[in-house]
Every structure is written in structure tokens, then in C-alpha cells.
Amino acid sequence: MSTTWYPVLNYEKCKECGACFNKCKHGVYEMKGSMPVVVYPEGCVQGCHSCGNLCPTGAIEYVGDNNNNKCSGGSCCC
Ligand code: SF4
Ligand code: SF4
């Protein structure tokens, strides 16, 4: 579990497809209507890019991402 790594959504790019919410098994997102919202950043797995890799519009970036993080496996949902 991480407080130094979590997704941030660019709502100007988000197409409200729900792929990020559907992918994450760690409770990081909730849907507010058709819009995903990060409600539990502490649940995000350090180094996981799973939702960002799925996002069709590149709307997801990560706090803590320095392009040198590798998924550590284990509880990661990649
Ligand atoms: S990076 Fe992984 S753990 Fe974090 S919100 Fe996305 S799918 Fe969930
Ligand atoms: S995957 Fe990307 S476009 Fe789809 S709801 Fe999530 S942030 Fe928006």
C-alpha cells in the first residue's frame, strides 16, 4: 500500500469509459455517476501502472512516478 504513489486523473482528457475503475481491485476509485474519482489513494500499489496502461486517452498520471519505477508484482493488479 502506498501514499507516495497514486493516480491523478486529467478530466480534460477523461472519456468516462470506466476502464480504470473496472480494472482496479484495490478500492482506489469510485464512480461518481460516469466519472471515476480517486477516493482511496492509500490503496494504490507502488509502481502499478495498470489503470494508466488501460486508459485510452492517457488521462492517468501517477504521483511519485519518475519513470524509474517497476511493478513489484505480488498484490499489484497489472
Ligand atoms: S495503479 Fe494499479 S493499484 Fe493503483 S489505482 Fe491503478 S490499477 Fe489500482
Ligand atoms: S480509463 Fe481513462 S478515459 Fe477511462 S474513465 Fe479512466 S481516466 Fe477516464
Side-chain angles (χ1 to χ4, degrees), residues 19-49:
C20 51
F21 169 77
N22 289 328
K23 177 63 180 177
C24 187
K25 307 305 182 195
H26 298 276
V28 174
Y29 293 102
E30 281 185 2
M31 295 301 286
K32 306 286 188 189
S34 60
M35 194 71 84
V37 178
V38 175
V39 294
Y40 182 48
E42 297 88 348
C44 189
V45 178
Q46 182 79 30
C48 180
H49 287 83

Side-chain angles (χ1 to χ4, degrees), residues 9-11 13-21 29 31 34-36 51 54-60:
L9 273 53
N10 181 338
Y11 288 109
K13 291 183 177 179
C14 177
K15 301 300 183 192
E16 304 178 23
C17 70
C20 51
F21 169 77
Y29 293 102
M31 295 301 286
S34 60
M35 194 71 84
C51 54
L54 276 179
C55 179
T57 62
I60 300 174

